[in-house]
Amino acid sequence: MDLRLAVFDFDSTLMDGESIGFLAKRLGIEAEVSEITRRAMAGEMDFFEALKKRVSLLKGMSIKEAKEALSNLPLIEGGSKLIAFLKQRGVRCVCFSGGFMWGVESVSKTLGLDAYFANILHHKDGVLSGEVGGYMMFNDSKGIMLKQLQALMGIDQEKTLCVGDGANDISMFKCAKYSVAFCAKDVLKPYASHVLDIKDLSQIIKIIE
């Protein structure tokens, strides 16, 4: 493959788990939030509505506790190896996350990504307000952002790879010739050029070599 741009989802793709789940666990509402996440990722619920509903349940959580919950997030096996492989070949690597900047920023820097886009938890007086804003709020946000990046960088779909696992990755898969559904929900697989059910991102090297 002649690639110049690779875009990765974050939750359950680069990171082993869901950012919102680590926050919810601190508040004892993990089961309720996980069910909403499951429905959103399966395409059973609008992503924006699901995001708003889940974040509203975090209202009152301290910034300190939220940041602690999103620190040292576990990486998916093989992620560092894959990113290093791509960067050695001059491929720009970017993360699009429906999760939150506090977690995405640290992991992206650890992996050496070129850029990252995520959502931001609104807070006031040291606690979360239950509101959220950012780059990745809607079902089609990733596709819109990918088109903008491709135009800015002069890179077309033929040289773009996307990797993701859920319904909100469909829009970016439509904008890339190469797309890997990674341990993905069934709703995403029909839009993928490749399906990988092994939980090891380095297996993608075999696909793109």
Side-chain angles (χ1 to χ4, degrees):
M1 294 182 188
D2 180 18
L3 298 176
R4 290 186 59 201
L5 176 63
V7 179
F8 296 86
D9 171 45
F10 184 71
D11 292 343
S12 299
T13 300
L14 288 178
M15 191 270 289
D16 194 358
E18 296 287 327
S19 299
I20 192 80
F22 288 95
L23 293 164
K25 188 174 183 179
R26 295 287 185 111
L27 299 177
I29 56 173
E30 190 175 16
E32 182 178 0
V33 168
S34 293
E35 175 58 16
I36 300 171
T37 300
R38 183 200 67 75
R39 292 184 61 203
M41 291 300 98
E44 298 172 5
M45 187 175 183
D46 177 77
F47 184 79
F48 176 71
E49 292 174 352
L51 178 63
K52 292 276 287 182
K53 186 170 184 177
R54 287 175 293 169
V55 171
S56 72
L57 297 172
L58 304 177
K59 185 176 182 179
M61 186 179 196
S62 72
I63 297 174
K64 181 176 182 294
E65 188 171 15
K67 287 184 175 180
E68 286 176 354
L70 296 175
S71 65
N72 300 312
L73 293 172
L75 302 182
I76 290 281
E77 182 179 350
S80 295
K81 184 176 180 180
L82 173 60
I83 299 299
F85 175 87
L86 290 167
K87 296 199 72 174
Q88 285 170 4
R89 284 153 180 78
V91 180
R92 293 297 184 97
C93 297
V94 179
C95 175
F96 288 172
S97 176
F100 312 110
M101 198 66 82
W102 286 334
V104 173
E105 183 176 25
S106 176
V107 170
S108 294
K109 288 180 178 178
T110 296
L111 292 174
L113 300 185
D114 294 292
Y116 47 89
F117 301 87
N119 295 320
I120 300 167
L121 293 167
H122 182 260
H123 52 86
K124 187 176 181 180
D125 300 326
V127 298
L128 301 186
S129 68
E131 299 292 339
V132 61
Y135 299 102
M136 298 288 152
M137 297 276 288
F138 306 101
N139 285 333
D140 58 355
S141 293
K142 293 183 180 183
I144 291 170
M145 182 64 77
L146 178 52
K147 287 179 181 178
Q148 291 177 343
L149 273 187
Q150 288 168 330
L152 182 65
M153 300 170 72
I155 297 173
D156 59 26
Q157 294 189 19
E158 302 290 316
K159 296 184 178 181
T160 302
L161 166 72
C162 289
V163 183
D165 76 305
N168 67 324
D169 296 313
I170 291 173
S171 65
M172 71 173 180
F173 273 32
K174 291 179 177 179
C175 301
K177 180 177 180 180
Y178 306 105
S179 50
V180 180
F182 178 72
C183 299
K185 310 301 183 292
D186 289 340
V187 69
L188 181 64
K189 292 180 180 179
Y191 299 91
S193 63
H194 299 80
V195 174
L196 177 62
D197 289 324
I198 301 171
K199 198 175 180 179
D200 179 355
L201 282 173
S202 68
Q203 293 296 314
I204 294 176
I205 294 174
K206 299 176 182 178
I207 296 173
I208 62 181
E209 270 188 317

